[in-house]
Amino acid sequence: MQTTTVSELFSIIDQATLFIRKHHETDYLNALCSTLEGLVQDEIKDKDLTTKLSPLHDRYYSQKMTAEDVRRAVQLAALKGMKASPQPNHEMTPDTLALLMGHMVAMMAGNHPFSVLDPAVGMANLLTAIMNQAKTDEILAYGIDADPLLLRLAAANSNLQQKEIQLFHQDGLKPILTESVDFVVSDIPVGIYPDQAAADTYILKDVVEKPLTHFLFVEQGLRKLKDGGHLLALVPNHLFSDDQNRIFHHFIQKHATILALIQLPETLFKNSDQTKSILLMQKKSGTTTLAKQALLAEMPDFSDEVKMRTFMQQLDHWFLHRSV
């Protein structure tokens, strides 16, 4: 992947999006949807825009680009739109973490076909980053999100990358009508879950007085896994300290095994109370092969190349030798 290619692709997408935003008097993210959908369909729907956008469209298709080039260019455009109109549910997984989680899934899946679900898929940046790093093209992927704008972006984003994802417009904590999967991956939403009726179907609704979204998504993820499947999630650092009555502790003891917990550097987050960790769990089954020892680690700052290289070597070594 060449940075210049990503920059050029972003410039093309951004120019078209800015023009559509001005022409239709809409916000950047909605204009971005129109831009990406036009590129996917290999046409500009709006005849009034053809003169302006066709040269940009031709430049886009003349680029020699990989799926990762497209993902990163779209990511830059989406980040620009989210910064211009911030909303609590319009946040994106940092690119370094999306790549790291993709690497972890690739290490576990190897060359074997696999199925994967993201129950809070957003614009599918994390899910496509994982698919792009996989060692196989035989991937059955599902994405769930309640936000129609993000789901439109997810559809266009995945189509531009030529990645097939079955997308569902619904609350990720409501019943998900898909088959069980090998992997559930997610940048788990944090906060109080407002739908008490839906929350009542979860064991972890009682961790604290009001149901917390992050606990419910962990439980939902384990529900949708095959026996022996893996949940790989970004979770708030206060996940375990919130569990004052040890309800979560006992739930995990019964249903899953924690394989790894990697605390992320604070520099990745705006505020210290927003810090997260990568949690890797395996759903219990009668034939599960347990890891010799759980990986508990603190990730160094990404700017420290030497420490990061050492960390990645240790991570890869653990994955290669994790089984009993």
Side-chain angles (χ1 to χ4, degrees), residues 236-296:
N237 282 353
H238 53 77
L239 181 77
F240 294 97
S241 60
D242 285 344
D243 183 33
Q244 295 182 2
N245 296 318
R246 295 177 67 80
I247 293 174
F248 182 58
H249 172 82
H250 294 302
F251 176 84
I252 296 301
Q253 274 194 326
K254 183 177 181 180
H255 297 285
T257 301
I258 294 178
L259 300 181
L261 185 65
I262 303 171
Q263 186 171 325
L264 302 171
E266 288 190 10
T267 51
L268 280 175
F269 306 95
K270 294 179 181 179
N271 303 309
S272 59
D273 60 349
Q274 296 177 336
T275 53
K276 293 187 177 184
S277 296
I278 295 176
L279 175 65
L280 174 63
M281 294 195 297
Q282 186 173 22
K283 185 173 181 177
K284 286 185 176 178
S285 73
T287 59
T288 298
T289 301
L290 299 178
K292 291 180 180 179
Q293 184 175 355
L295 175 65
L296 303 176

Side-chain angles (χ1 to χ4, degrees), residues 10-68:
F10 165 70
S11 177
I12 293 166
I13 293 169
D14 183 51
Q15 287 179 61
T17 301
L18 290 173
F19 186 82
I20 291 174
R21 183 184 69 174
K22 182 178 179 180
H23 186 86
H24 287 288
E25 297 182 349
T26 186
D27 61 48
Y28 189 94
L29 284 180
N30 276 286
L32 177 61
C33 274
S34 298
T35 298
L36 300 181
E37 288 165 352
L39 292 173
V40 168
Q41 295 162 9
D42 198 16
E43 65 179 5
I44 305 299
K45 286 184 176 181
D46 191 329
K47 293 182 179 179
D48 293 335
L49 305 181
T50 301
T51 303
K52 176 66 178 178
L53 298 188
S54 287
L56 299 175
H57 179 269
D58 294 341
R59 280 177 56 203
Y60 177 87
Y61 277 97
S62 68
Q63 299 290 327
K64 294 180 179 180
M65 53 196 172
T66 66
E68 268 297 283

Side-chain angles (χ1 to χ4, degrees), residues 103-122:
H103 178 71
M104 294 171 72
V105 171
M107 291 290 290
M108 289 184 282
N111 297 319
H112 303 289
F114 65 89
S115 52
V116 58
L117 162 71
D118 187 341
V121 74

Side-chain angles (χ1 to χ4, degrees), residues 188-249:
I188 287 180
V190 179
I192 297 172
Y193 185 58
D195 190 333
Q196 187 62 52
D200 284 340
T201 65
Y202 287 85
I203 297 170
L204 296 180
K205 69 181 185 301
D206 296 322
V207 170
V208 295
E209 184 178 350
K210 294 183 178 181
L212 295 178
T213 305
H214 36 294
F215 285 107
L216 303 188
F217 265 103
V218 171
E219 184 173 344
Q220 176 76 306
L222 289 173
R223 286 180 179 181
K224 294 306 300 178
L225 282 173
K226 299 176 182 177
D227 288 348
H230 293 86
L231 170 69
L232 182 64
L234 282 171
V235 298
N237 282 353
H238 53 77
L239 181 77
F240 294 97
S241 60
D242 285 344
D243 183 33
Q244 295 182 2
N245 296 318
R246 295 177 67 80
I247 293 174
F248 182 58
H249 172 82

